[in-house]
Amino acid sequence: MELTKMRNFFSFIAVLLCMVFMFGSCTDDVSDNESMIYGKVKGVVTDVSSMPIEGVTVVVDESGLNATEGGPTAVTDSKGEFILENVSIGTHIITFKKNDYQTVSITVVPGKFNSENVANISAVMQYAAAEIRGTVTDASNADSPLSGVKVSISPTVSVLTDDNGTYVIDNLPLSDYTVTFAKDGFTSITKNVTIADFNDGIAVADARMGATEILRGLTAEDLQNAEKWYYNEYRGGRNSEQYPHWDWACDYMCTLDFCGDWEEQNEGTTLRIRNDESDRQNPADLEMFDSFVFGSKLITSDNNIMTLQVRTHNADNDAPTTFGVQVVDLSESTPMAQLIGGIKTLASEDYVSFDFDLSAYIGKEVIIAIGTFRAQTGDYWKQLVLRRIAFAKEKVEGWGWLPGTKIAALDGWEMTEEMVRSTMPQTKSSFTGISSVTGDRDNYVDAYRAWRGTGHFAAEWSFMPVQKDPEVFPSEGYLIKTKGSDAQVSTTKPQSYFYAKFSIADGSNKLKFSTRNFSDNPTFFKITAITEDINIKHLSPVSHIANSASSDNDGCWKFVHQDGGAGSPDKYATFEYDLSEFNGQDVLIAIGVYKGESNGDENKLVLHSLTLE
């Protein structure tokens, strides 16, 4: 009996202790909830081009610190904006999800919340449903499908071709890629795929292996798709001899197509002998370039002399840099790389000009390659620094503008009749001034390279900084401008301009230019058409949408319009032109900015976009 009482007593005590513990725990929970502070997380979601993304699901992690079960959620609107309500002031992981985009997560800490308990964050999402596909064939076996080819876009991403010679690399962000095709017994091939090559998220990169290699890694078929050298001058480096012609911001040579080992330096764009440890046992080769730059160029009687302005690194008289120029005429039955002017050697740290006579190719569009040869086996670190690649009727000396017959009616333009006639017509019809990668004076090569394949003005048009350098990377677009208080007022001499040539015809004779400026002072600009027989016409727009715009002296238009940006492309000023009077002609189009009045300020012209349709 006593034992039973004692057992019941201890059972009662145990139940009582449990109730006390449970009550204490509940009391603590209520207290925590009552003391918890809640706020908002808001922001905007854009793509890599700063365009808003609608329909992104925004989720807070399920950390137990949220006011709603499972965490607050939101969906971005047409402006890419979202608001997450009732988020506790604490540390959270915010996740952004949308089909066909890479998922992004951002951590928010208490310090991100302001005095109004609002945390502002922005997310950039990358399209990630793109794919590269294609077919690989065997040129040495009647172009039959070639299986077992390793197709790579990086050391960790590769696939093998199947029995039909086909392959697919999927789940890719939209970007530029270098695709490598490799198989034992075949020379490896590389192909460049740019953002512009993707159509509805798919880019096709076929390869034909086993064909004769003309330039290292490139067959005749590859060279058919070579990038065009539309213009007669390409400059490298960022030293300021004869500013602004040689200003850092005018260095666009590194947008050209380079193969092998190269680097952009202050002195110029440098071709280097491949010198990784695995390359040092490569045999000497004075026939095939080790590293080179190449493009497709129309040779005429106006530009048949090519001048290279070059210097060296890591070379001396006993072991100079060895280089040369090769031309491939794809119209020949068996195209071959022809050495022009013999093998050259150089040991100078000073700039030297070499000229090459291309008269044998007048009237033809040919592949031109400039490269360095490996002159010996071993640790062979030789460099050829390219400062200028120029085409004219004569050798180009020094730092000045291209020689030729100056156009009297375009005094101060530094434009010659030969440049007008021999500039090649553009194959593109849509251009942008928006840079997807930003840069500055110390880090601009990646930004310049990002222009490739995007139709960027700076990669597709030729820039002439007659009096003033540009601003290259504003988010509103590429920006050309005038000097400030020391600028001479003129509506005939541009401070700077871009030019390109177009074949005008029905379907490509309506030009639309999108722009803005940054001041209450007007910006003066004009668009000028120059025919190959040097007839010049300053164009007037047939319509325009701008806050303030009117015609001025000498064909200039002056305007004030301070709206438009990466997130508001519809707010730029637009000027539309009718080019139908030039149907059937190749016409050079120039866009210039002028110091139309003395106002003490720089006047700026933004090149946001241009289309020809």
Side-chain angles (χ1 to χ4, degrees), residues 215 223-235 256-257 293-308 325-331 340 356-370 389-393 402 416 418-427 460-462 499-501 532 588:
L215 298 174
L223 295 176
Q224 293 283 355
N225 299 314
E227 295 174 359
K228 294 184 183 295
W229 287 359
Y230 295 104
Y231 309 102
N232 288 332
E233 183 179 53
Y234 296 92
R235 301 187 300 277
L256 300 182
D257 203 349
V293 60
F294 74 103
S296 184
K297 181 70 177 172
L298 175 64
I299 306 302
T300 75
S301 58
D302 289 316
N303 67 358
N304 58 297
I305 303 299
M306 183 178 74
T307 302
L308 299 183
V325 172
Q326 292 180 343
V327 174
V328 182
D329 183 355
L330 294 175
S331 68
I340 304 299
F356 300 84
D357 189 348
L358 303 174
S359 298
Y361 301 100
I362 288 176
K364 291 185 174 183
E365 185 175 340
V366 294
I367 305 298
I368 296 176
I370 303 161
I389 304 172
F391 299 85
K393 293 178 66 173
L402 290 181
T416 69
E418 292 83 0
M419 291 165 62
V420 173
R421 288 191 295 261
S422 60
T423 294
M424 297 168 60
Q426 262 285 349
T427 59
E460 300 295 344
W461 293 52
S462 186
Y499 73 90
K501 183 182 282 186
E532 291 193 339
L588 188 143

Side-chain angles (χ1 to χ4, degrees), residues 132 174-178 191-199 203 227 449 452-454:
I132 300 173
L174 276 180
S175 185
D176 294 342
Y177 294 94
T178 297
K191 288 183 175 290
N192 294 320
V193 173
T194 68
I195 292 176
D197 295 322
F198 288 90
N199 185 11
E227 295 174 359
R449 296 295 284 181
R452 289 167 52 83
T454 66

Side-chain angles (χ1 to χ4, degrees), residues 350-421:
D350 297 322
Y351 295 103
V352 179
S353 293
F354 291 83
D355 60 300
F356 300 84
D357 189 348
L358 303 174
S359 298
Y361 301 100
I362 288 176
K364 291 185 174 183
E365 185 175 340
V366 294
I367 305 298
I368 296 176
I370 303 161
T372 55
F373 294 106
R374 177 181 289 276
Q376 66 185 53
T377 299
D379 186 358
Y380 190 67
W381 191 244
K382 303 301 176 188
Q383 303 184 42
L384 177 73
V385 184
L386 296 173
R387 195 72 162 97
R388 168 152 64 179
I389 304 172
F391 299 85
K393 293 178 66 173
E394 60 190 70
K395 181 179 180 180
V396 180
E397 298 283 4
W399 302 106
W401 298 94
L402 290 181
T405 306
K406 299 293 184 182
I407 301 174
L410 299 178
D411 181 40
W413 282 51
E414 305 298 344
M415 172 75 70
T416 69
E417 294 182 6
E418 292 83 0
M419 291 165 62
V420 173
R421 288 191 295 261

Side-chain angles (χ1 to χ4, degrees), residues 220-274:
E221 182 183 35
D222 299 322
L223 295 176
Q224 293 283 355
N225 299 314
E227 295 174 359
K228 294 184 183 295
W229 287 359
Y230 295 104
Y231 309 102
N232 288 332
E233 183 179 53
Y234 296 92
R235 301 187 300 277
R238 52 182 176 174
N239 294 338
S240 57
E241 297 90 350
Q242 291 202 0
Y243 171 91
H245 186 208
W246 291 88
D247 179 73
W248 76 276
C250 309
D251 168 23
Y252 306 138
M253 189 184 291
C254 65
T255 66
L256 300 182
D257 203 349
F258 285 84
C259 297
D261 192 334
W262 70 282
E263 182 181 59
E264 191 67 14
Q265 299 180 356
N266 287 341
E267 298 84 358
T269 309
T270 303
L271 290 169
R272 309 189 295 190
I273 298 296
R274 294 170 298 152

